[in-house]
Amino acid sequence: MTKSSLFRSEEMSLVQMYIPDEIARITVSCLGDHGLIQFRDLNPSLSAFQRAFTDEIKKLNDLERQLLFLSGECEKVDIPVAPIDLDDPQVNRIVTAREIVDLKEILMEREIRVNHLNESYSALLKQRQELLEHKYVLEQSATISGVQQQKQNLIPPQYHRNSTATNLTDNPQAPLFPTDLENGEWDASESVSFVAGVIPRDRVGVFERILWRTLRGNLFMNQEEIDEDFVNSETGRMESKNVFIIFAHGQELISKIKKTADAMGASLYPVEEDATQRQAKLFDIAMKITDLDKIIDTTDETRLNELQQTATGLPTWCAILKKEKATYHILNLFNYDPNRRALIAEGWCPTLDLGTVRNALKQAAEDAGSPVYPIMNEVSTHRQPPTFHRTNKFSAGFQNIVDAYGVARYGEVNPGLFTVITFPFLFAVMFGDFGHGIFMFLAALYLVVKEKQLQKFANGELFSMLFGGRYIILLMGLFSIYTGLIYNDLFSKAVVWFPGGWKWPENFTEGETIEAIQTGTTYAFGLDYMWHGAENYLIFTNSYKMKMSVIFGVLQMSFGIILTNFNHIHFNHKFAIWAEFIPQILFLLSIFGYLCVTIIYKWLTDWSSANPPSLLNMLIYMFLSPGSVEDSELLFQGQATVQLALLMIAAICVPWMLLAKPLVLKKHHANEVRLGKTTSTAEQETIRRNRGQ
């Protein structure tokens, strides 16, 4: 293995640890604070439920459920929960097992208290709502011409000829009771009963139709809307309700009405027929509502205080819980040695940080008060190490962009370092606005200057992305200012920085076609502002930017191919230099490299006396008619011969790239088979395990 360099992933070492069982949790927690080891799973055949520390993880999952419940309750009442502060000493310290037990008791007590307060608060609100509904039933029933008056209106006409009562039959004047009574004496107060209550407004129509079909129209119903909205206890949403009162004769019909009302979600309340009794009942309900409001306010205040106290400890508790879960998940990767009463762990560590890891193991044993220290040995192995690129707050964002497309193999050249310049510069070539670049630069500069204060808020999905890429945005804005000056583009407007190289006529008539006159001077920096008033401005600038993008693109692709050459040398694949690198670079330069040369040549040539050729047509006819160039497409003498030679080189490179490396690899494999050096996959894995142990 070669030493780590600035352009490659760091050298990694496989280490093996023997950690005493009693300090295993503290040791892993201490190692996790440094974040320098990637542990290997030594129990790949065991499921998650067969691991040694599954019970501990289940207990922590229950604590996590309690934390989620408490966090949700705080969000319901708009109590803000502070984000986790990674710089908090309470978060970074090593937590003892006793503190985890204490945390479990605290969360259980808080959960029980919050649940009890929620249940009491909900019960009080429900009781208050029932009292309010009862109050509206009493008030509205009194406005429906009085209960006694309604019952009198339902007596048949031969007993009360002036009756004006109506029911739900087809004939609005038909009485509710039969009129062919033999006995002329009939007591309506004993036969007619009524049901009063409250029902959701959207169910009134369905309720009326069901009663019509069930009772065959033998009822009298009236209903009024309630101005106040109520909270639905099931959904928690506000809904409108109506007060209704239904008159019918016979207990059987009354029983059907009550069952139908209950099925439709209506609430039934008793109503006194005497006005004096109703007024007394209303006064009693009003007093109860007043007392309930005081109790509800006290309960709500107690609940809010409890949740506010809980919210202050939630960030620390969440951080401790996440750290403990991660610790036990790592412990499940280890093997247990019953003879030594120790856990055996394997992991990859940067070679430069082996001393730091040893010090962390020593510090963990001292903090735990153990006389036995963990043992760490560096193991010689032929396994492929993981790729590790050491980053800081500046380079982390650029490295994440590279890793999003693919992580480099261990030992390969790391393109993340070059992306620090190429990514913001190519963005600026595309963006190219001086004004917008300033705003982008200032916004990123604020994030950089205030990064310590803003780091605690970088938990949201959108802001965390902006905060993590603050240095990328900073360079993007800085390069955009540079390219915006070159394009002379300030919020899509040209700015007069220097005297222009063209001059418009001062005197002209409206509608006259005028032309700019060249002054003989050259604009000092960037694009002449006079181009913004020209008719061919877009044609000129788009052609210029497109050709410049082609040149930058070919340069970047050529640079990428050159980097692969260093990988071939590092992995001792020197045959790949002539089998891959040379044909790839020749194919690219013979076509697109030639195009870039012609673009620059065309820029440097004075075409005032002739029409400039189209480079796009030139490239197309280079393949359609090799060896010949039309006069209108001629750039230089001998162009046809040069293009034919380049085309032949590109044609040779195609089979060269496709066949050379596979044939070489096949030959190497045949030689190894002939010499008996190859082994089966199972044998290779056995050898690797033996070397690792």
Side-chain angles (χ1 to χ4, degrees):
M1 297 184 183
T2 60
K3 293 295 182 181
S4 60
S5 66
L6 188 62
F7 302 100
R8 303 184 187 277
S9 60
E10 286 203 25
E11 182 180 357
M12 304 292 288
S13 298
L14 181 64
V15 296
Q16 190 177 57
M17 302 180 185
Y18 292 88
I19 306 174
D21 189 15
E22 61 273 9
I23 63 171
R25 189 185 66 84
I26 296 179
T27 302
V28 172
S29 179
C30 187
L31 292 175
D33 292 337
H34 291 80
L36 295 174
I37 297 183
Q38 179 181 339
F39 288 99
R40 296 180 61 247
D41 188 3
L42 302 182
N43 307 298
S45 60
L46 297 181
S47 64
F49 301 100
Q50 296 174 330
R51 306 273 176 154
F53 298 93
T54 302
D55 294 337
E56 285 77 4
I57 294 178
K58 289 181 179 179
K59 296 177 182 178
L60 294 175
N61 287 335
D62 188 54
L63 297 181
E64 186 177 19
R65 178 196 60 79
Q66 294 173 340
L67 285 175
L68 291 176
F69 166 75
L70 295 174
S71 300
E73 291 298 317
C74 292
E75 292 178 0
K76 288 180 182 179
V77 294
D78 296 330
I79 295 179
V81 178
I84 298 175
D85 187 5
L86 299 179
D87 297 329
D88 188 359
Q90 295 295 326
V91 175
N92 295 324
R93 66 185 180 85
I94 298 177
V95 182
T96 62
R98 180 59 189 173
E99 290 177 318
I100 298 298
V101 175
D102 294 340
L103 177 60
K104 181 179 179 181
E105 295 177 355
I106 292 174
L107 293 179
M108 184 177 297
E109 181 183 355
R110 293 291 176 92
E111 183 184 21
I112 293 174
R113 292 184 61 182
V114 171
N115 274 327
H116 178 70
L117 290 172
N118 286 340
E119 292 174 359
S120 301
Y121 186 73
S122 299
L124 291 172
L125 289 180
K126 184 177 180 182
Q127 185 178 354
R128 183 181 184 276
Q129 180 171 323
E130 291 175 354
L131 290 174
L132 283 175
E133 291 178 352
H134 195 179
K135 173 187 173 184
Y136 280 110
V137 168
L138 292 175
E139 292 176 348
Q140 296 294 340
S141 62
T143 61
I144 308 175
S145 302
V147 176
Q148 290 289 351
Q149 182 63 31
Q150 290 293 346
K151 293 179 67 174
Q152 292 296 327
N153 290 339
L154 294 174
I155 300 176
Q158 63 268 33
Y159 297 98
H160 295 277
R161 297 183 183 275
N162 296 326
S163 173
T164 59
T166 59
N167 57 17
L168 298 179
T169 59
D170 295 334
N171 183 5
Q173 300 299 329
L176 184 61
F177 302 100
T179 59
D180 55 348
L181 296 175
E182 296 179 358
N183 186 5
E185 297 180 357
W186 176 67
D187 188 0
S189 62
E190 295 182 358
S191 299
V192 178
S193 300
F194 64 91
V195 176
V198 176
I199 188 171
R201 190 170 300 169
D202 56 353
R203 301 181 185 178
V204 172
V206 179
F207 185 48
E208 289 181 347
R209 288 193 294 271
I210 292 176
L211 290 177
W212 165 265
R213 291 178 173 83
T214 304
L215 305 182
R216 299 181 181 181
N218 292 312
L219 74 156
F220 182 94
M221 178 176 177
N222 206 337
Q223 50 92 17
E224 294 287 343
E225 294 183 356
I226 300 178
D227 296 334
E228 182 180 354
D229 291 337
F230 296 90
V231 179
N232 191 321
S233 58
E234 296 180 357
T235 62
R237 298 179 180 178
M238 303 298 292
E239 62 179 4
S240 302
K241 292 188 177 184
N242 287 14
V243 171
F244 66 89
I245 183 169
I246 304 171
F247 295 90
H249 66 86
Q251 292 300 319
E252 184 177 353
L253 295 183
I254 294 297
S255 177
K256 290 183 179 180
I257 293 173
K258 290 181 179 180
K259 291 181 180 179
T260 305
D262 184 65
M264 294 298 297
S267 301
L268 302 179
Y269 298 97
V271 177
E272 287 73 10
E273 298 182 11
D274 184 65
T276 305
Q277 294 179 353
R278 283 201 303 273
Q279 290 298 327
K281 188 67 175 178
L282 281 172
F283 180 77
D284 183 52
I285 290 177
M287 294 298 294
K288 290 182 179 179
I289 292 176
T290 303
D291 295 338
L292 271 178
D293 288 338
K294 296 179 181 179
I295 299 174
I296 288 173
D297 292 340
T298 303
T299 304
D300 187 40
E301 184 178 358
T302 304
R303 186 169 65 103
L304 291 177
N305 292 335
E306 183 70 24
L307 291 176
Q308 286 175 353
Q309 294 177 4
T310 303
T312 57
L314 280 177
T316 304
W317 296 339
C318 290
I320 292 174
L321 182 63
K322 290 181 179 180
K323 188 175 181 180
E324 286 299 306
K325 285 190 65 176
T327 299
Y328 281 109
H329 278 296
I330 295 298
L331 288 174
N332 277 333
L333 303 178
F334 300 167
N335 275 336
Y336 180 69
D337 188 352
N339 296 327
R340 301 180 182 179
R341 297 185 60 188
L343 294 174
I344 303 175
E346 286 187 6
W348 295 97
C349 174
T351 305
L352 296 178
D353 294 323
L354 290 176
T356 304
V357 174
R358 289 191 176 92
N359 292 334
L361 294 175
K362 180 180 179 181
Q363 184 65 36
E366 293 177 354
D367 293 340
S370 175
V372 182
Y373 286 5
I375 301 174
M376 186 182 76
N377 299 319
E378 187 175 356
V379 180
S380 177
T381 181
H382 291 279
R383 293 190 182 97
Q384 182 70 21
T387 302
F388 174 70
H389 296 127
R390 194 181 298 273
T391 59
N392 52 32
K393 61 182 180 180
F394 176 79
S395 61
F398 297 97
Q399 190 64 51
N400 290 335
I401 294 176
V402 175
D403 294 342
Y405 292 92
V407 180
R409 191 176 58 172
Y410 177 75
E412 287 186 342
V413 175
N414 179 25
L417 181 65
F418 310 104
T419 309
V420 173
I421 297 299
T422 60
F423 182 83
F425 177 72
L426 292 179
F427 168 83
V429 170
M430 173 191 67
F431 192 67
D433 191 291
F434 176 72
H436 290 97
I438 291 177
F439 281 108
M440 184 183 299
F441 175 78
L442 293 178
L445 185 62
Y446 175 79
L447 296 177
V448 171
V449 174
K450 299 291 184 179
E451 61 183 11
K452 291 184 178 180
Q453 294 89 333
L454 298 175
Q455 187 174 8
K456 62 179 67 176
F457 301 103
N459 294 325
E461 182 177 357
L462 180 60
F463 183 74
S464 62
M465 180 174 60
L466 293 175
F467 184 78
R470 59 193 181 279
Y471 289 99
I472 302 177
I473 302 174
L474 183 73
L475 292 183
M476 287 163 56
L478 188 62
F479 277 97
S480 296
I481 295 174
Y482 170 71
T483 55
L485 290 174
I486 292 180
Y487 296 157
N488 198 354
D489 200 348
L490 178 66
F491 299 116
S492 300
K493 296 292 183 179
V495 183
V496 182
W497 302 108
F498 308 100
W502 299 84
K503 183 178 181 181
W504 294 102
E506 296 181 358
N507 300 321
F508 57 89
T509 59
E510 186 176 354
E512 179 185 0
T513 302
I514 59 176
E515 294 182 358
I517 302 173
Q518 191 171 5
T519 61
T521 60
T522 303
Y523 200 68
F525 181 80
L527 188 66
D528 195 332
Y529 68 91
M530 296 298 295
W531 275 104
H532 284 262
E535 293 182 356
N536 60 340
Y537 168 70
L538 289 179
I539 297 176
F540 168 73
T541 55
N542 289 345
S543 175
Y544 169 72
K545 293 178 181 179
M546 180 186 68
K547 293 175 181 177
M548 187 172 58
S549 300
V550 171
I551 294 175
F552 286 144
V554 173
L555 287 176
Q556 188 176 25
M557 288 188 291
S558 301
F559 182 68
I561 295 175
I562 293 173
L563 289 183
T564 61
N565 196 33
F566 291 96
N567 293 333
H568 300 328
I569 297 175
H570 174 75
F571 292 109
N572 199 24
H573 296 163
K574 296 183 180 180
F575 68 90
I577 297 177
W578 61 266
E580 280 188 3
F581 168 71
I582 293 179
Q584 286 176 356
I585 196 69
L586 286 178
F587 182 83
L588 178 66
L589 296 181
S590 62
I591 298 177
F592 299 102
Y594 171 68
L595 177 62
C596 294
V597 172
T598 56
I599 289 174
I600 298 174
Y601 180 83
K602 184 178 178 180
W603 282 345
L604 298 177
T605 304
D606 184 9
W607 300 99
S608 58
S609 60
N611 292 327
S614 173
L615 299 182
L616 181 61
N617 293 336
M618 180 206 70
L619 188 65
I620 293 175
Y621 285 107
M622 177 179 174
F623 291 91
L624 295 181
S625 56
S628 62
V629 178
E630 298 182 2
D631 295 337
S632 60
E633 305 296 333
L634 186 63
L635 276 175
F636 55 88
Q637 297 297 326
Q639 180 178 352
T641 304
V642 172
Q643 291 183 173
L644 180 61
L646 293 176
L647 194 61
M648 293 178 62
I649 293 174
I652 295 173
C653 289
V654 173
W656 189 356
M657 287 185 292
L658 295 177
L659 299 177
K661 186 175 181 179
L663 292 176
V664 171
L665 293 178
K666 181 180 179 181
K667 181 179 179 181
H668 287 177
H669 181 72
N671 292 335
E672 291 179 353
V673 172
R674 181 172 55 83
L675 297 175
K677 293 183 179 181
T678 59
T679 57
S680 63
T681 304
E683 293 174 346
Q684 292 177 3
E685 183 64 23
T686 302
I687 294 174
R688 290 174 181 175
R689 287 185 179 275
N690 293 334
R691 288 175 176 174
Q693 296 294 335

